[in-house]
């Protein structure tokens, strides 16, 4: 069985990047152990605060954020971090080359009901010598990512990661506290008949998205000619993981509940890292109108409509937007 460091060495990942990835993983292991303790550790429930996204912070959102932040800003190779739970980017080391953005706890509405949650991370290289507290250093499109990954805290804790050389899956061996390689060369099936979308927002979608889902619901008799199944875990990490394992399409489209927002999900903590993983596994990822990783961020907390998963199904949704 291969350990993470052996896989990174085989992929010729620079030593400094490996040290940054390791620190992300140390924090994620800590989050995994805290989640296992659950109520016993007094970590469930909400805080009295809201994050910059206008969402109530759960205790575990804050704990996970602090674990990742504290590890990373003291790493000499990290210039700075950007987090869904931080108003501003935070400076690390002036000499650091890497920028790390993360969603410390994704799917937080699942915490208190003991269902799957995850951590998502993305790593970029600083292109100039500005400090990590300047958000402009981070404003690079998703194609510039040098690594992306997530940890799914499910029945087992899994690390899914790419450094641009395919997608590997590691399982946390709790007996030794190490992630060990359990699957490599992940390929998402190109076709699917399983979609994931929050159907309760249907009346707020654009006509293109309404039409696609209407056609899915028509089944064999409809223009798409197949009977679709549906899943919605309300945790993007769990959703993307299911798609990596058996195909599918995940959508969180723009909707007019708050027309000023480009979508619910965030480009730099959710859209870009998940898009890199999905593309590295042979899938596709789009806003409906362009590839997510080609979107130029204008602010660290930018949001984006998301359509990702099995290649041919994503192409169909893009086709609806072209009509
Ligand atoms: P977060 O917990 O980081 O705010 O993200 C939750 C996201 C994503 O994981 C999930 O797909 C979606 O929000 C769920 O949204 P609904 O509440 O509309 O189901
Ligand atoms: Mn999230
Ligand atoms: Mn989150």
């Amino acid at each position: 069985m291969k350990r993470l460091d052996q896989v990174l060495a085989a992929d010729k990942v620079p030593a400094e990047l490996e040290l940054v990835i390791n620190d992300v993983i140390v924090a994620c292991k800590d989050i995994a152990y805290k989640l296992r303790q659950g109520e016993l550790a007094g970590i469930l429930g909400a805080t009295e605060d809201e994050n910059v996204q206008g969402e109530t912070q759960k205790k575990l959102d804050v704990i996970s954020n602090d674990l990742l932040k504290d590890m990373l800003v003291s790493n000499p190779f990290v210039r700075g971090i950007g987090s869904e739970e931080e108003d501003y980017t935070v400076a690390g080391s002036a000499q650091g080359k890497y920028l790390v953005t993360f969603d410390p706890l994704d799917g937080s509405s699942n915490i208190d009901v003991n269902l799957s949650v995850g951590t998502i991370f993305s790593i970029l290289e600083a292109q100039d010598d500005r400090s990590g507290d300047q958000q402009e250093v981070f404003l690079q499109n998703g194609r510039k990512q040098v690594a992306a990954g997530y940890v799914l805290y499910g029945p087992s804790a899994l690390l899914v990661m790419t450094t641009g050389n395919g997608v590997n899956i590691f399982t946390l061996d709790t007996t030794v506290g190490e992630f060990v390689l359990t699957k490599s060369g992940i390929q998402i099936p190109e076709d699917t008949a399983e979609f994931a979308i929050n159907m309760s927002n249907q009346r707020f979608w654009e006509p293109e998205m309404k039409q696609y889902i209407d056609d899915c619901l028509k089944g064999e008799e409809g223009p798409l000619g197949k009977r679709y199944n549906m899943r919605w875990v309300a945790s993007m990490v769990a959703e993307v993981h299911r798609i990596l394992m058996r195909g599918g399409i995940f959508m969180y489209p723009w909707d007019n509940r708050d027309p000023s927002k480009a979508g619910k999900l965030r480009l730099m903590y959710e859209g870009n890292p998940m898009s890199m993983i999905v593309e590295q596994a042979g899938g596709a990822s789009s806003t409906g109108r362009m590839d997510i990783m080609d979107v130029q961020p204008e602010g660290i907390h930018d949001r984006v409509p998301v359509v990702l998963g099995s290649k041919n199904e994503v192409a169909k949704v893009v086709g609806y937007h072209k009509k």
Side-chain angles (χ1 to χ4, degrees), residues 12-275:
K12 301 200 167 50
V13 170
E16 297 184 357
L17 177 55
E18 183 177 338
L19 290 167
V20 174
I21 292 171
N22 275 341
D23 274 356
V24 171
I25 285 159
V26 169
C28 289
K29 283 192 222 170
D30 209 338
I31 299 168
Y33 297 135
K34 290 197 164 54
L35 283 164
R36 284 278 170 272
Q37 287 298 100
E39 194 132 34
L40 300 173
I43 50 164
L44 303 189
T47 66
E48 305 208 319
D49 300 319
E50 264 192 3
N51 64 13
V52 63
Q53 330 276 336
E55 301 158 341
T56 305
Q57 287 180 309
K58 301 275 185 182
K59 282 186 200 164
L60 261 168
D61 286 324
V62 177
I63 294 169
S64 310
N65 181 63
D66 291 348
L67 283 168
L68 282 157
K69 180 172 74 172
D70 293 348
M71 280 309 287
L72 290 168
V73 295
S74 55
N75 181 311
F77 307 111
V78 173
R79 179 81 61 85
I81 60 120
S83 163
E84 185 184 284
E85 305 298 340
E86 294 283 334
D87 296 6
Y88 306 104
T89 62
V90 181
S93 156
Q95 283 75 44
K97 179 169 170 188
Y98 295 104
L99 303 162
V100 188
T101 66
F102 48 86
D103 177 352
L105 208 73
D106 173 69
S108 14
S109 72
N110 281 349
I111 296 169
D112 294 340
V113 291
N114 200 32
L115 293 175
S116 296
V117 291
T119 296
I120 314 173
F121 64 93
S122 156
I123 306 182
L124 293 159
E125 280 180 9
Q127 303 295 332
D128 52 48
D129 55 11
R130 280 180 291 188
S131 162
D133 55 10
Q134 308 290 302
Q135 75 156 348
E136 290 71 23
V137 195
F138 289 79
L139 303 181
Q140 308 176 34
N141 75 26
R143 302 265 171 228
K144 302 270 174 59
Q145 293 171 104
V146 292
Y150 61 78
V151 175
L152 168 62
Y153 311 103
S156 46
L158 300 180
L159 164 69
V160 177
M161 203 177 65
T162 182
T163 51
N165 206 357
V167 178
N168 291 311
I169 302 185
F170 304 83
T171 302
L172 181 60
D173 180 347
T174 51
T175 60
V176 291
E178 290 277 354
F179 278 105
V180 292
L181 183 69
T182 40
K183 283 194 175 70
S184 54
I186 304 300
Q187 283 293 315
I188 300 174
E190 291 187 353
D191 292 295
T192 185
E194 188 166 77
F195 67 82
I197 195 165
N198 185 341
M199 286 292 292
S200 69
N201 295 324
Q202 190 175 32
R203 70 185 193 282
F204 304 111
W205 300 333
E206 289 183 299
E208 293 83 351
M209 192 51 67
K210 279 187 186 153
Q211 189 61 56
Y212 168 69
I213 294 293
D214 279 353
D215 289 348
C216 289
L217 298 178
K218 286 181 190 142
E220 296 92 326
E221 326 291 85
L224 298 172
K226 16 181 195 184
R227 181 182 297 195
Y228 283 79
N229 185 31
M230 194 199 97
R231 286 287 184 275
W232 188 250
V233 188
S235 162
M236 188 191 199
V237 170
E239 234 80 71
V240 168
H241 195 69
R242 185 187 59 249
I243 290 171
L244 283 187
M245 293 295 94
R246 67 176 193 211
I249 184 164
F250 167 86
M251 290 155 286
Y252 214 114
W254 176 86
D255 63 54
N256 66 13
R257 282 175 296 171
D258 179 352
S260 69
K261 289 183 184 157
K264 174 174 181 180
L265 300 178
R266 282 114 321 194
L267 178 62
M268 303 207 65
Y269 320 120
E270 295 166 318
N272 278 338
M274 291 312 206
S275 297

Side-chain angles (χ1 to χ4, degrees), residues 190 212 249 283-286 288 307-322:
E190 291 187 353
Y212 168 69
I249 184 164
S285 137
S286 170
V307 178
L308 59 77
S310 293
K311 205 178 191 163
N312 295 339
E313 202 63 27
V314 172
K316 279 181 203 162
V317 177
V318 172
Y320 277 76
H321 287 82
K322 281 188 184 142

